[in-house]
Amino acid sequence: MLNSLRQTWFSNVRGDVLSALVVALALIPEAIAFSIIAGVDPKVGLYASFCIAVITAFAGGRPAMISAATGAMAILMITLVREHGLEYLLAATLLTGLLQILFGLLKLGELMRFVSRSVVTGFVNALAILIFMAQLPELSGQHGTLLVYGMTAAGLAIIYLFPYITKTIPSPLVCIVVLTAIAVYFQLDLRTVADMGELPDSLPVFLWPDVPLNLDTLKIIFPYALALAVVGLLESLMTATIVDDLTDTSSDKNRECVGQGIANIGSGLLGGMAGCAMIGQSVINVKSGGRTRLSTLLAGIFLLLFIVFLSDYVGMIPMAALVAVMIMVSIGTFSWSSVRDLRKNPLSSSIVMIATVVVVVFTHNLAYGVLLGVLLSALFFANKVGQILYISSSLQAGGRERHYQVVGQVFFTSAEQFVAAFDFKEALDKVQIDLSRAHFWDITAVSSLDKVVLKFRREGTMVELLGLNEASATLVDKFAVHQQPDAVEKLMGH
């Protein structure tokens, strides 16, 4: 027990504390920006980020992963907030948490097994592009001055060059401290965190949504809650997979579903919006040295301390410093090898990856991109497996019998190929079909077997099926019709 506690919480204290400082500082402008997107007060996103990070540190299934208010979730809240207000958003947040807990108890986290590597890579690349695009407003228009470009470039130089001096202190933290000191000392005219919105000056308090507890309220919030629950879990489980790869460790996906649900319920009860895992902040945490649950917990605690007790100092941080950190995250998140290997990888894998990227970037909806990627992966896989079917034959008994040998998988994509392999016009007394090296997967396959058997019988040829394995035989016995007395008449349409 003590060894497990030490391993999951206190095996990397120094690295976790320093990485949590970086994450907390980077969370502030993002939480404010996401609140603005959703159309709520900045403190709604900030309180949510604190609450979700702290709760997932204990209840989540992936140590060192950062969960908070996110842009993907904020986009889904816009219409609800505009038409019904904050109270209904809080109610939807509570329902989102309940649905996610239900999904976790139903072990829907296991569905991640059906998400191919190409989809994950596309998801990662799309998020890297979105993270970079989110920084463009700070680098364009009235904010895009030479001074901002210079400070951002200086920040990137510190981030990438400081590790050559020492890796004891995370370079993103050094970047934030140094650029803030320069901006304050020289009184540079730069957009700061304080310009993003007013930071809260008090601790969050318990809030129960002031909405009628009736069916009408449920009709309003359920569609939003379901969308939030699905998108939140998709992003969280995909991010968990990425952090698994970065740290060479595994995570409990079903526990993560439940943990995200508990965190969102806690967020809703403290006046926060629904959230989920953040790939950008999770990558910052891991690359800054965070490895255990302590880093996630401290990120939430530091965030609250910064915004409530140190808001005057945090407000001085130039946005250029945080833009530099997020550009670093974008560059580090993008899978550059996936671009280099486009020609080397199978065409189907490249198509899935590119389609996922394009849909996510243009819709800003992770669920659409992942859904399309999974569907394309399934179609390509079905087509590929459907082609693994070989049927050979040989004449026996002086040319009056033919023995067919079927090797491979018979299901909806290969059913036509299966039927086309037989010659029904050949004058034969008997046909033997050896199925010992074949497998029938669905009712389409069974229907194709019916068609073969009945067409031979219609021509006056006796058919014998050999070697059906137990699973295929069970399916054939249950759904096949060629054993029925009027089967030929049914085939002929009588």
Side-chain angles (χ1 to χ4, degrees), residues 29 138 148 151-152 175-184 188-195 313-324:
E138 298 296 329
V148 170
M151 289 289 279
T152 303
C175 164
I176 293 170
V177 172
V178 170
L179 293 193
T180 303
I182 292 173
V184 172
L188 300 179
D189 183 19
L190 290 168
R191 182 170 157 88
T192 65
V193 169
D195 297 325
Y313 299 102
V314 171
M316 298 177 185
I317 298 173
M319 287 301 297
L322 297 172
V323 167

Side-chain angles (χ1 to χ4, degrees), residues 11 43 50 58 213 216 231 245 367 448 463 491:
S11 60
K43 67 182 180 182
F50 151 71
F58 294 95
L213 298 178
D216 290 335
V231 170
D245 291 341
S448 67
V463 181
L491 180 69

Side-chain angles (χ1 to χ4, degrees), residues 188-464:
L188 300 179
D189 183 19
L190 290 168
R191 182 170 157 88
T192 65
V193 169
D195 297 325
M196 293 287 292
E198 184 180 354
L199 298 176
D201 56 3
S202 62
L203 296 172
V205 296
F206 178 84
L207 288 172
W208 182 258
D210 186 17
V211 297
L213 298 178
N214 54 36
L215 192 58
D216 290 335
T217 299
L218 183 62
K219 287 178 180 178
I220 292 171
I221 66 174
F222 183 79
Y224 295 98
L226 182 60
L228 289 167
V230 172
V231 170
L233 289 185
L234 267 176
E235 186 164 359
S236 297
L237 296 179
M238 300 284 264
T239 303
T241 300
I242 293 161
V243 177
D244 289 350
D245 291 341
L246 287 173
T247 59
D248 290 324
T249 55
S250 61
S251 59
D252 187 336
K253 302 297 189 297
N254 292 315
R255 178 178 174 180
E256 186 60 42
C257 293
V258 174
Q260 291 289 334
I262 295 172
N264 279 321
I265 290 175
S267 175
L269 292 175
L270 291 179
M273 57 203 276
C276 63
M278 306 179 75
I279 184 171
Q281 303 296 346
S282 298
V283 171
I284 290 178
N285 190 42
V286 172
K287 296 204 170 188
S288 298
R291 288 295 181 273
T292 73
R293 295 180 180 275
L294 183 63
S295 63
T296 309
L297 174 64
L298 290 179
I301 292 175
F302 286 155
L303 172 64
L304 187 65
L305 294 177
F306 288 156
I307 61 177
V308 175
F309 301 107
L310 301 174
S311 57
D312 291 341
Y313 299 102
V314 171
M316 298 177 185
I317 298 173
M319 287 301 297
L322 297 172
V323 167
V325 172
M326 297 312 294
I327 290 176
M328 176 272 291
V329 171
S330 176
I331 294 171
T333 300
F334 195 89
S335 176
W336 300 100
S337 61
S338 67
V339 178
R340 292 194 302 268
D341 296 338
L342 275 176
R343 292 186 178 181
K344 186 168 64 176
N345 290 337
L347 179 61
S348 59
S349 297
S350 297
I351 291 174
V352 169
M353 189 272 286
I354 293 171
T356 303
V357 171
V358 170
V359 172
V360 172
V361 170
F362 279 93
T363 66
H364 286 229
N365 191 313
L366 302 171
Y368 291 160
V370 172
L371 179 61
L372 176 65
V374 170
L375 287 175
L376 286 176
S377 296
L379 289 174
F380 284 132
F381 175 76
N383 181 62
K384 187 177 295 184
V385 174
Q387 294 175 5
I388 306 175
L389 181 66
Y390 175 71
I391 301 176
S392 61
S393 68
S394 59
L395 278 173
Q396 297 176 354
R400 302 307 299 168
E401 294 183 10
R402 183 171 289 277
H403 181 87
Y404 286 92
Q405 174 77 47
V406 182
V407 179
Q409 314 301 316
V410 187
F411 60 114
F412 61 90
T413 66
S414 58
E416 287 189 14
Q417 181 185 348
F418 173 76
V419 176
F422 297 90
D423 183 1
F424 302 107
K425 297 301 181 182
E426 187 178 16
L428 298 168
D429 293 334
K430 182 178 180 182
V431 166
Q432 287 185 324
I433 304 176
D434 187 349
L435 302 171
S436 57
R437 299 174 64 188
H439 192 96
F440 288 76
W441 288 97
D442 57 13
I443 58 173
T444 306
V446 174
S447 176
S448 67
L449 181 62
D450 278 337
K451 191 177 294 185
V452 168
V453 172
L454 295 177
K455 281 190 174 184
F456 273 124
R457 287 181 181 170
R458 186 183 61 187
E459 300 298 327
T461 304
M462 187 174 74
V463 181
E464 182 180 7

